[in-house]
Short mmCIF file of all heavy atoms in Angstrom, two decimals:
data_model
loop_
_atom_site.label_atom_id
_atom_site.label_comp_id
_atom_site.label_asym_id
_atom_site.label_seq_id
_atom_site.Cartn_x
_atom_site.Cartn_y
_atom_site.Cartn_z
N VAL A 1 -13.71 7.65 1.61
CA VAL A 1 -13.28 6.88 0.45
C VAL A 1 -12.10 6.02 0.87
O VAL A 1 -11.93 4.88 0.49
CB VAL A 1 -13.03 7.82 -0.74
CG1 VAL A 1 -12.36 7.09 -1.85
CG2 VAL A 1 -14.35 8.41 -1.27
N LEU A 2 -11.03 6.63 1.48
CA LEU A 2 -9.85 5.92 1.84
C LEU A 2 -10.17 4.79 2.87
O LEU A 2 -9.60 3.64 2.73
CB LEU A 2 -8.85 6.85 2.48
CG LEU A 2 -8.12 7.78 1.50
CD1 LEU A 2 -7.18 8.72 2.26
CD2 LEU A 2 -7.36 7.06 0.50
N SER A 3 -11.02 5.00 3.84
CA SER A 3 -11.38 3.92 4.75
C SER A 3 -12.05 2.80 4.05
O SER A 3 -11.85 1.59 4.38
CB SER A 3 -12.32 4.54 5.83
OG SER A 3 -11.74 5.49 6.55
N PHE A 4 -12.98 3.08 3.07
CA PHE A 4 -13.66 2.10 2.31
C PHE A 4 -12.63 1.24 1.48
O PHE A 4 -12.77 0.01 1.48
CB PHE A 4 -14.78 2.64 1.41
CG PHE A 4 -15.57 1.64 0.72
CD1 PHE A 4 -16.42 0.81 1.36
CD2 PHE A 4 -15.41 1.50 -0.71
CE1 PHE A 4 -17.18 -0.08 0.67
CE2 PHE A 4 -16.17 0.53 -1.39
CZ PHE A 4 -17.08 -0.24 -0.71
N GLY A 5 -11.70 1.87 0.94
CA GLY A 5 -10.66 1.22 0.11
C GLY A 5 -9.77 0.30 0.92
O GLY A 5 -9.54 -0.87 0.50
N LEU A 6 -9.48 0.75 2.12
CA LEU A 6 -8.65 -0.03 2.99
C LEU A 6 -9.48 -1.25 3.46
O LEU A 6 -9.02 -2.38 3.62
CB LEU A 6 -8.17 0.70 4.19
CG LEU A 6 -7.11 1.72 3.88
CD1 LEU A 6 -6.74 2.57 5.08
CD2 LEU A 6 -5.78 1.05 3.40
N TRP A 7 -10.71 -1.09 3.77
CA TRP A 7 -11.61 -2.12 4.18
C TRP A 7 -11.76 -3.19 3.18
O TRP A 7 -11.65 -4.41 3.43
CB TRP A 7 -12.92 -1.62 4.59
CG TRP A 7 -13.87 -2.60 5.00
CD1 TRP A 7 -13.97 -3.18 6.21
CD2 TRP A 7 -15.00 -3.26 4.22
NE1 TRP A 7 -14.99 -4.15 6.26
CE2 TRP A 7 -15.60 -4.18 5.05
CE3 TRP A 7 -15.48 -2.96 2.98
CZ2 TRP A 7 -16.75 -4.90 4.66
CZ3 TRP A 7 -16.52 -3.68 2.50
CH2 TRP A 7 -17.14 -4.66 3.37
N LEU A 8 -11.92 -2.77 1.85
CA LEU A 8 -12.05 -3.71 0.77
C LEU A 8 -10.72 -4.49 0.63
O LEU A 8 -10.76 -5.77 0.33
CB LEU A 8 -12.31 -3.01 -0.54
CG LEU A 8 -13.80 -2.54 -0.75
CD1 LEU A 8 -13.96 -1.85 -2.07
CD2 LEU A 8 -14.67 -3.72 -0.72
N GLN A 9 -9.66 -3.80 0.68
CA GLN A 9 -8.29 -4.52 0.56
C GLN A 9 -8.14 -5.56 1.68
O GLN A 9 -7.63 -6.61 1.33
CB GLN A 9 -7.20 -3.47 0.61
CG GLN A 9 -5.83 -4.11 0.39
CD GLN A 9 -4.68 -3.20 0.48
OE1 GLN A 9 -4.86 -1.99 0.91
NE2 GLN A 9 -3.52 -3.59 0.02
N GLN A 10 -8.48 -5.31 2.88
CA GLN A 10 -8.30 -6.14 3.95
C GLN A 10 -9.29 -7.40 3.86
O GLN A 10 -9.03 -8.42 4.39
CB GLN A 10 -8.56 -5.40 5.27
CG GLN A 10 -8.17 -6.26 6.54
CD GLN A 10 -8.33 -5.49 7.73
OE1 GLN A 10 -9.10 -4.54 7.85
NE2 GLN A 10 -7.64 -5.97 8.76
N ARG A 11 -10.40 -7.23 3.22
CA ARG A 11 -11.39 -8.22 3.15
C ARG A 11 -11.14 -9.26 2.01
O ARG A 11 -11.91 -10.15 1.79
CB ARG A 11 -12.77 -7.69 2.99
CG ARG A 11 -13.21 -6.91 4.14
CD ARG A 11 -13.37 -7.82 5.34
NE ARG A 11 -13.50 -7.18 6.57
CZ ARG A 11 -13.20 -7.61 7.76
NH1 ARG A 11 -12.69 -8.83 7.80
NH2 ARG A 11 -13.29 -6.90 8.89
N THR A 12 -10.04 -9.10 1.35
CA THR A 12 -9.72 -9.99 0.20
C THR A 12 -9.21 -11.31 0.83
O THR A 12 -8.29 -11.33 1.66
CB THR A 12 -8.63 -9.47 -0.75
OG1 THR A 12 -9.16 -8.18 -1.15
CG2 THR A 12 -8.40 -10.32 -1.92
N THR A 13 -9.77 -12.49 0.39
CA THR A 13 -9.39 -13.77 0.91
C THR A 13 -7.95 -14.10 0.45
O THR A 13 -7.67 -13.92 -0.77
CB THR A 13 -10.39 -14.87 0.44
OG1 THR A 13 -11.61 -14.44 0.93
CG2 THR A 13 -9.94 -16.19 1.02
N GLY A 14 -7.18 -14.58 1.33
CA GLY A 14 -5.80 -14.97 1.07
C GLY A 14 -5.70 -16.26 0.34
O GLY A 14 -6.62 -17.08 0.29
N ILE A 15 -4.58 -16.52 -0.32
CA ILE A 15 -4.22 -17.75 -1.02
C ILE A 15 -3.37 -18.77 -0.13
O ILE A 15 -3.67 -19.90 -0.19
CB ILE A 15 -3.61 -17.48 -2.35
CG1 ILE A 15 -4.51 -16.61 -3.27
CG2 ILE A 15 -3.14 -18.71 -3.09
CD1 ILE A 15 -3.86 -16.10 -4.46
N LYS A 16 -2.41 -18.11 0.55
CA LYS A 16 -1.51 -18.97 1.27
C LYS A 16 -1.00 -18.20 2.51
O LYS A 16 -1.19 -16.96 2.59
CB LYS A 16 -0.32 -19.41 0.40
CG LYS A 16 0.54 -18.28 -0.11
CD LYS A 16 1.79 -18.79 -0.89
CE LYS A 16 1.53 -19.28 -2.25
NZ LYS A 16 2.66 -19.65 -2.96
N VAL A 17 -0.29 -18.94 3.32
CA VAL A 17 0.30 -18.31 4.53
C VAL A 17 1.77 -18.42 4.41
O VAL A 17 2.29 -19.45 3.92
CB VAL A 17 -0.11 -18.87 5.90
CG1 VAL A 17 -1.62 -18.64 6.15
CG2 VAL A 17 0.12 -20.40 6.02
N ARG A 18 2.55 -17.42 4.80
CA ARG A 18 3.99 -17.38 4.94
C ARG A 18 4.40 -17.45 6.40
O ARG A 18 4.01 -16.60 7.17
CB ARG A 18 4.59 -16.31 4.21
CG ARG A 18 6.13 -16.21 4.31
CD ARG A 18 6.73 -15.03 3.76
NE ARG A 18 6.56 -15.01 2.28
CZ ARG A 18 6.55 -13.96 1.56
NH1 ARG A 18 6.67 -12.77 1.99
NH2 ARG A 18 6.36 -14.02 0.24
N ILE A 19 5.23 -18.39 6.77
CA ILE A 19 5.71 -18.51 8.14
C ILE A 19 7.17 -18.00 8.15
O ILE A 19 7.99 -18.54 7.34
CB ILE A 19 5.61 -19.95 8.59
CG1 ILE A 19 4.19 -20.41 8.59
CG2 ILE A 19 6.26 -20.00 10.07
CD1 ILE A 19 4.03 -21.91 8.79
N THR A 20 7.52 -17.06 8.95
CA THR A 20 8.88 -16.55 9.21
C THR A 20 9.25 -16.74 10.53
O THR A 20 8.53 -16.48 11.44
CB THR A 20 9.03 -15.10 8.70
OG1 THR A 20 8.18 -14.26 9.36
CG2 THR A 20 8.78 -14.99 7.19
N ILE A 21 10.58 -17.09 10.79
CA ILE A 21 11.15 -17.12 12.16
C ILE A 21 12.30 -16.27 12.19
O ILE A 21 13.24 -16.47 11.32
CB ILE A 21 11.49 -18.55 12.50
CG1 ILE A 21 10.28 -19.46 12.45
CG2 ILE A 21 12.15 -18.66 13.85
CD1 ILE A 21 10.59 -20.97 12.65
N ASP A 22 12.27 -15.28 12.98
CA ASP A 22 13.35 -14.30 13.13
C ASP A 22 13.71 -13.75 11.77
O ASP A 22 14.90 -13.52 11.45
CB ASP A 22 14.49 -14.90 13.77
CG ASP A 22 15.64 -13.82 14.35
OD1 ASP A 22 15.17 -12.83 14.49
OD2 ASP A 22 16.62 -14.33 14.72
N GLY A 23 12.74 -13.38 10.91
CA GLY A 23 12.96 -12.82 9.55
C GLY A 23 13.33 -13.75 8.54
O GLY A 23 13.31 -13.30 7.36
N GLU A 24 13.59 -15.00 8.85
CA GLU A 24 13.94 -16.00 7.78
C GLU A 24 12.62 -16.75 7.40
O GLU A 24 11.90 -17.16 8.31
CB GLU A 24 14.88 -17.02 8.30
CG GLU A 24 16.24 -16.35 8.68
CD GLU A 24 17.07 -15.94 7.45
OE1 GLU A 24 17.03 -16.60 6.50
OE2 GLU A 24 17.75 -14.88 7.59
#
């Protein structure tokens, strides 16, 4: 059940990307 939940969460399509350089 936990593996399936993690798999579903990871398969959600993203909306945007965040770019960070050295934490900023």
Side-chain angles (χ1 to χ4, degrees):
V1 168
L2 288 175
S3 297
F4 184 70
L6 290 173
W7 178 78
L8 281 178
Q9 181 182 13
Q10 187 178 22
R11 294 294 166 206
T12 305
T13 302
I15 297 171
K16 61 173 78 172
V17 293
R18 177 184 293 154
I19 302 170
T20 56
I21 301 174
D22 200 14
E24 300 287 325

